[in-house]
Amino acid sequence: MMVHYGQALLWMEVQVFLSCWTLAAPNHFFYHDFIKGNGNREIHFNGVKLQVDSTQPSVFAVRGGNTTLPCRYWYEPEMSSPRRVRVKWSWLPVAGGHEIDVLVAIGSHSRSLGDFRGRVGLRQDFPGDAALVMTELHLKDAGRYLCEVVDGLEDKSISIDLELQGVVFPYQHPHGRYHMTFLGAQQACEEQDSTLATFTQLFQSWKEGLNWCNAGWLADGTVQYPITQPRIPCGGPDLAPGVRSYGRLHQHLHRYDVFCFSSSLRGTVYYLQHPFKLNLTEAQQACQEDGAEIAKVGQIFAAWKFSGLDRCDAGWLADGSVRYPITRPRRNCGPLEPGVRSFGFPPPQHKHGVYCYKSDDELM
């Protein structure tokens, strides 16, 4: 009887010892199956650390393209045999909000989720490779991505920013200046094949020379405008050049213009050769008869930026505006700077040319 009591006391002391060991090393692996082991061979792991890193804090890409967000994990000290870990990628949109799951994987098995389904996967080119391969990038895919690796009680992560290269353009409501709430601005950009610009995108455009005195919504709910040439109507001549900000405003009560962002196209924008000038309805029909559709504002800006579209002929666009793109400024083609010129929103019965858009699928 005394022997059994002594064995029971000894076992309790062992349990206390193991519990203290667990508490003393919260950042190291430790498993309650220390004595028995399990299918993942999680035995004698105290002192082994999981590490996660990325070779690039930021990755740049374009809409419709493919890219890879690098992420790798390893152990210190190095393990003698591979382990079965859980990898999860999540995404924080540029506009903020909650994290959205992109992909989860255990071993060689993975599942893509939500809007990313069928467009993402793990590369797994070498042991510890957890890079996320992305295809057919969308405008809204920009943002911060989190690569999280879990092995037992150990959980490490690293973040990578995905930034899309593109063009920022100011957009005004057909009824004139300062007519859009935040939601209205968001919808206006989407209708023109673009998305709300971020502050980073607007700031980069300002560095490249964007000079616009009308304030517009950005993706984070702030209202700002870029000034390269200070002047009286735009904050005064005494203020230094920069991006002016009204801060974050009420998204339903306040009304402003908007800064939209577009990236490269999977198609072609062109000026339709037609024997006659057209009203807006005729222009829409003419593009359809040519196997295309009337171009949107974001598409003509993207064609100007990425394809060098240069045409000194004004033409209708889908929103009812009349514009033309100039990459080589010259006489009788507007100001001395490159850009997309605008005649605003003339009456729809007026006669002009038209810009059409044909996707790559339609070109085949």
Side-chain angles (χ1 to χ4, degrees):
M1 192 72 178
M2 291 297 292
V3 172
H4 290 164
Y5 176 78
Q7 289 177 340
L9 183 60
L10 177 60
W11 177 247
M12 291 177 61
E13 290 174 349
V14 169
Q15 293 294 321
V16 171
F17 168 73
L18 293 179
S19 300
C20 293
W21 188 11
T22 303
L23 295 173
N27 295 322
H28 296 169
F29 283 103
F30 184 82
Y31 300 92
H32 290 293
D33 53 3
F34 177 83
I35 295 177
K36 294 182 180 179
N38 64 20
N40 203 23
R41 292 176 292 184
E42 296 166 343
I43 305 174
H44 301 288
F45 244 57
N46 191 49
V48 177
K49 292 184 179 181
L50 173 67
Q51 303 290 350
V52 176
D53 198 7
S54 176
T55 56
Q56 296 174 254
S58 298
V59 172
F60 295 86
V62 294
R63 175 176 55 179
N66 304 331
T67 194
T68 300
L69 306 184
C71 177
R72 70 183 185 97
Y73 65 91
W74 71 98
Y75 298 93
E76 293 180 355
E78 184 178 349
M79 301 295 297
S80 58
S81 58
R83 298 185 55 76
R84 185 179 173 88
V85 301
R86 178 177 181 267
V87 176
K88 186 178 87 166
W89 279 91
S90 55
W91 167 59
L92 184 63
V94 291
H98 63 280
E99 284 186 3
I100 297 172
D101 290 343
V102 174
L103 176 144
V104 291
I106 298 178
S108 60
H109 302 285
S110 65
R111 175 181 295 178
S112 53
L113 306 167
D115 290 339
F116 295 93
R117 189 183 304 276
R119 298 194 296 122
V120 299
L122 287 188
R123 186 173 60 185
Q124 296 182 314
D125 279 354
F126 53 84
D129 183 15
L132 184 70
V133 178
M134 307 182 69
T135 61
E136 294 292 328
L137 288 172
H138 299 170
L139 278 177
K140 64 179 182 180
D141 288 345
R144 176 159 294 179
Y145 288 77
L146 187 71
C147 173
E148 181 181 13
V149 181
V150 180
D151 189 339
L153 302 181
E154 198 82 339
D155 183 339
K156 294 293 179 66
S157 61
I158 191 75
S159 64
I160 303 98
D161 290 327
L162 174 61
E163 301 182 29
L164 294 187
Q165 296 171 316
V167 56
V168 172
F169 60 94
Y171 189 78
Q172 197 171 85
H173 193 276
H175 292 163
R177 184 172 180 257
Y178 294 172
H179 271 76
M180 290 180 284
T181 64
F182 177 79
L183 294 179
Q186 193 174 48
Q187 181 179 352
C189 289
E190 291 174 356
E191 289 175 350
Q192 298 310 312
D193 193 45
S194 58
T195 187
L196 281 168
T198 66
F199 171 76
T200 301
Q201 292 163 348
L202 181 64
F203 184 74
Q204 179 61 35
S205 296
W206 168 76
K207 291 197 296 183
E208 295 173 358
L210 183 59
N211 183 55
W212 196 257
C213 198
N214 290 347
W217 292 103
L218 295 180
D220 61 358
T222 61
V223 173
Q224 310 194 37
Y225 63 99
I227 294 296
T228 59
Q229 300 169 359
R231 49 202 186 275
I232 291 176
C234 308
D238 298 329
L239 288 178
V243 178
R244 318 271 196 246
S245 176
Y246 292 167
R248 185 171 280 104
L249 301 181
H250 196 290
Q251 296 185 357
H252 301 289
L253 297 179
H254 294 100
R255 294 175 182 269
Y256 288 92
D257 293 342
V258 63
F259 289 97
C260 302
F261 173 82
S262 186
S263 189
S264 65
L265 297 171
R266 301 302 295 269
T268 301
V269 174
Y270 60 97
Y271 183 82
L272 181 66
Q273 299 293 339
H274 197 276
F276 307 106
K277 296 296 185 180
L278 310 164
N279 62 37
L280 179 57
T281 301
E282 293 168 341
Q284 294 167 335
Q285 293 173 346
C287 287
Q288 291 175 359
E289 291 170 359
D290 200 49
E293 61 185 24
I294 190 168
K296 299 176 180 179
V297 179
Q299 292 168 341
I300 198 170
F301 268 96
W304 166 76
K305 176 77 172 181
F306 291 98
S307 303
L309 184 62
D310 182 272
R311 184 87 190 196
C312 198
D313 295 292
W316 288 107
L317 295 179
D319 66 337
S321 65
V322 172
R323 307 173 193 249
Y324 64 99
I326 296 294
T327 57
R328 296 177 293 103
R330 50 201 183 274
R331 263 188 197 180
N332 303 320
C333 293
L336 298 178
E337 300 82 20
V340 176
R341 323 290 194 216
S342 174
F343 285 100
F345 296 86
Q349 67 271 18
H350 282 197
K351 302 282 186 171
H352 297 281
V354 62
Y355 286 92
C356 304
Y357 172 75
K358 191 173 290 188
S359 68
D360 287 343
D361 293 338
E362 294 169 329
L363 290 169
M364 292 179 180

